[in-house]
Amino acid sequence: MGERTVGKRHTALRTTTTGAVSAALLAGTALGVAPGAAATGTTATDTAAGIRFVDIAGDGGTVLKANVITPADSDGTRRYPVIVLPTSWSMPQIEYLAQARKLADAGYVVVSYNSRGFWQSGGNIEVAGPPDIADASKVIDWALAHTPADPERIGMAGVSYGAGISLLAAGHDKRVKAVVAMSGWADLIDSIYSGRTQHLQAAAMLGGTGYLTGRPSPELQQTLKDFLASNLDKEEEMIAWGAKRSPAFALEKINANGAAIMLGNAWGDTIFPPNQYASFYEKLTGPKRLEFRPGDHATAEATGLLGLPNDTWTNAHRWFDHHLKGVDNGIDREQPVQLKSRSTGGYEGYPDWKSVGANERKIALADTETVYANVDSGANGGIIMLSNALDQFLKLPPMASIPLLPRSFAAVWQSERYDTAQRVRGTAKLHTTVTSTESSGTLVAYLYDVGPLGVGKLVSNAPYTFHGKTPGRPFAVDLELFSTAYDVPAGHRLALVVDTVDPLYIEHNPSGARLTFSSPSSDPSYVSVPLREK
């Protein structure tokens, strides 16, 4: 498809309430292109900035709005490695301009395109469905035909939605040699339906911003409706829909194609929790790297979208330099799992994910506790995108006064006070026995760092929902809390709190239900806490 002026591309841009869009507009400013110019500029402005705005024919001829930046020294005779950047959910096509310019200055052709169904790109939102994956290959085709791109050196990268599309494309297109997937998902089901519990705020935000900035497909509209309405008759159908869109279910193809894959995420990602990324990483067989940092969804990469110094983007550039250019920058000799603690801010290297928190300490949950359902005890996981960002920048995670939690609605167990700091690393696991007065129900487990005054700072949490149980008959529950890296100071203790209501999740407790947590001698209850010893 042909090039066009920026005015034709952007005059219809709609305003969105998400801060991420504002960040993308600021990214344009960081490039020397004012937001107003990006919306109403001319071809001359594009040339001066080194940016071309183009239309690319995607799958089925659907028009994808895109921008292209080529190295300044391009003379028509050289071939350069190419990076393809699908946009994030609800983001306009200028999202990556700051990083695209840096990559172009470093000798890459960069093509960024608006994912189908959003803004002025055609089609409907397919949530990384088959048309989206086919689009990625069409964009690669276009880059090879219209830019000095080297067909042997193709990479893909993206944040959030762009990360998921990039990973899936690596399993369907053998030309993709390297991927950097930031704040993305490997398992869509385990992301927003973990513990068989709908992640209400995450699904509502994705659905709301999708309607605001794009055109959800009829299939997506029905899936969202069934999901938020807890339509269990459609559960298998919804799980199949999510599996089709999950790189974890395309693992065999991804491994067969052998792309070098770098994964990055935040400990507190309330849309795509870290557990599913870590599990996927362990199963990759090609060159790979895993990075976790403090923050919430996409906050670890956000400053990089403004063109500011950013560890995630710095390592993304190093990853591409090594795997697409053959630069000996040492990234292949570093420990492949890199973690940044929420408490200290320092990086720690590990040879693999299973080495993280290889040492475990169990806290016995010996006392029997009974709680009434349907009431929020005051223990909760916070607010999507806000609470974990406060933890990232101000070290203020969600907090609760543990002594003041109403014991009718919250079960509480505490460890002894620790003489030395406890460096929690990895995935805490709850094992307990539950007896419910109803056949269905939801519980939410929280692990708190409790100081001398009884104030608990949230270390981790996770929901769990059950259906079809016999009232009055005990059953075992095994629940993985969301992975994290957090230091419990000396003199503090850990507390496990379990209640039945959290605004982050949809709960399934019938009115008047009661849950009893017990610890049979034949099967004791505990929470296993992963620790770093050295």
Side-chain angles (χ1 to χ4, degrees):
M1 302 293 289
E3 299 179 21
R4 67 201 186 292
T5 65
V6 191
K8 291 180 181 178
R9 164 67 183 89
H10 287 287
T11 52
L13 287 182
R14 286 168 284 177
T15 302
T16 178
T17 58
T18 62
V21 172
S22 299
L25 295 173
L26 288 171
T29 304
L31 280 170
V33 183
T40 60
T42 65
T43 303
T45 302
D46 296 343
T47 302
I51 303 168
R52 290 185 292 149
F53 289 91
V54 301
D55 290 345
I56 297 176
D59 185 50
T62 297
V63 174
L64 305 174
K65 301 298 184 176
N67 57 70
V68 185
I69 306 180
T70 54
D73 62 353
S74 176
D75 58 8
T77 62
R78 295 178 56 189
R79 289 287 174 179
Y80 301 87
V82 59
I83 307 295
V84 174
L85 301 168
T87 55
S88 303
W89 186 270
S90 290
M91 292 291 283
Q93 60 150 301
I94 60 172
E95 175 185 11
Y96 300 114
L97 283 184
Q99 288 300 323
R101 184 59 178 268
K102 289 176 181 288
L103 285 164
D105 288 345
Y108 292 90
V109 171
V110 186
V111 182
S112 177
Y113 69 96
N114 232 135
S115 304
R116 68 166 51 222
F118 287 106
W119 299 89
Q120 278 70 52
S121 280
N124 294 320
I125 302 171
E126 302 290 347
V127 195
D132 292 296
I133 311 312
D135 284 345
S137 292
K138 292 290 187 180
V139 172
I140 292 172
D141 293 342
W142 185 93
L144 295 177
H146 296 88
T147 74
D150 186 342
E152 300 301 318
R153 296 185 291 169
I154 297 171
M156 290 192 66
V159 175
S160 185
Y161 195 46
I165 291 174
S166 295
L167 286 173
L168 286 162
H172 289 78
D173 196 321
K174 294 182 179 180
R175 296 175 297 178
V176 178
K177 304 301 182 185
V179 171
V180 176
M182 296 167 275
S183 290
W185 76 92
D187 189 332
L188 192 59
I189 304 159
D190 199 35
S191 293
I192 61 174
Y193 195 46
S194 69
R196 207 178 174 187
T197 307
Q198 296 99 322
H199 292 213
L200 172 61
Q201 291 185 17
M205 190 189 81
L206 292 172
T209 54
Y211 277 100
L212 184 64
T213 61
R215 299 167 299 282
S217 67
E219 185 181 26
L220 172 56
Q221 293 180 48
Q222 186 61 50
T223 300
L224 273 173
K225 180 179 178 181
D226 292 336
F227 185 80
L228 294 173
S230 303
N231 188 348
L232 295 179
D233 291 338
K234 295 292 187 71
E235 184 179 42
E236 289 187 8
E237 186 177 322
M238 288 187 286
I239 288 175
W241 178 89
K244 185 187 297 185
R245 291 158 170 81
S246 296
F249 289 83
L251 183 69
E252 185 175 344
K253 292 181 179 179
I254 293 172
N255 282 335
N257 290 347
I261 294 176
M262 172 179 155
L263 306 172
N265 204 355
W267 293 119
D269 194 320
T270 44
I271 297 180
F272 304 129
N275 303 48
Q276 44 92 33
Y277 242 20
S279 176
F280 177 70
Y281 169 84
E282 283 289 87
K283 298 170 185 174
L284 291 171
T285 57
K288 59 184 179 179
R289 183 179 176 93
L290 176 66
E291 300 182 352
F292 283 138
R293 298 178 175 85
D296 206 313
H297 184 65
T299 62
E301 302 86 25
T303 56
L305 295 177
L306 304 176
L308 301 174
N310 180 277
D311 290 354
T312 308
W313 283 102
T314 294
N315 286 340
H317 287 234
R318 295 175 64 218
W319 190 253
F320 285 132
D321 285 348
H322 179 74
H323 291 285
L324 296 182
K325 289 184 175 181
V327 176
D328 184 12
N329 54 20
I331 197 167
D332 58 318
R333 296 187 293 276
E334 296 171 359
Q335 295 274 42
V337 176
Q338 293 288 321
L339 311 182
K340 189 174 186 180
S341 168
R342 291 165 51 196
S343 304
T344 65
Y347 283 96
E348 302 167 356
Y350 299 83
D352 47 40
W353 176 251
K354 65 177 177 289
S355 298
V356 179
N359 301 297
E360 296 182 339
R361 175 176 293 184
K362 290 184 178 180
I363 301 172
L365 311 179
D367 299 332
T368 298
E369 301 280 352
T370 298
V371 299
Y372 290 87
N374 311 118
V375 175
D376 188 344
S377 70
N380 64 69
I383 301 171
I384 188 172
M385 299 298 296
L386 174 62
S387 298
N388 291 317
L390 290 174
D391 182 37
Q392 175 185 0
F393 296 111
L394 302 176
K395 295 194 179 344
L396 290 175
M399 291 183 280
S401 175
I402 304 304
L404 297 181
L405 291 175
R407 295 311 196 258
S408 295
F409 308 114
V412 180
W413 298 268
Q414 297 192 73
S415 72
E416 75 282 2
R417 294 189 187 277
Y418 297 116
D419 294 330
T420 59
Q422 304 294 296
R423 297 190 288 176
V424 180
R425 299 291 186 273
T427 309
K429 301 172 184 177
L430 168 65
H431 174 76
T432 190
T433 296
V434 177
T435 304
S436 175
T437 59
E438 303 289 343
S439 61
S440 298
T442 297
L443 60 93
V444 186
Y446 309 89
L447 190 65
Y448 282 100
D449 159 26
V450 184
L453 298 179
V455 175
K457 294 183 177 181
L458 187 65
V459 177
S460 184
N461 79 101
Y464 181 91
T465 293
F466 57 90
H467 296 286
K469 300 298 183 182
T470 302
R473 178 178 295 177
F475 59 94
V477 168
D478 288 287
L479 174 63
E480 288 191 351
L481 277 62
F482 301 135
S483 304
T484 193
Y486 181 96
D487 293 356
V488 179
H492 288 213
R493 65 178 77 204
L494 284 168
L496 180 78
V497 177
V498 181
D499 71 2
T500 62
V501 176
D502 190 308
L504 286 173
Y505 313 113
I506 291 178
E507 55 101 357
H508 297 262
N509 297 295
S511 180
R514 297 189 308 278
L515 301 180
T516 297
F517 303 91
S518 58
S519 182
S521 58
S522 59
D523 187 19
S525 295
Y526 61 86
V527 59
S528 176
V529 181
L531 299 174
R532 178 183 173 96
E533 296 294 343
K534 297 180 181 180

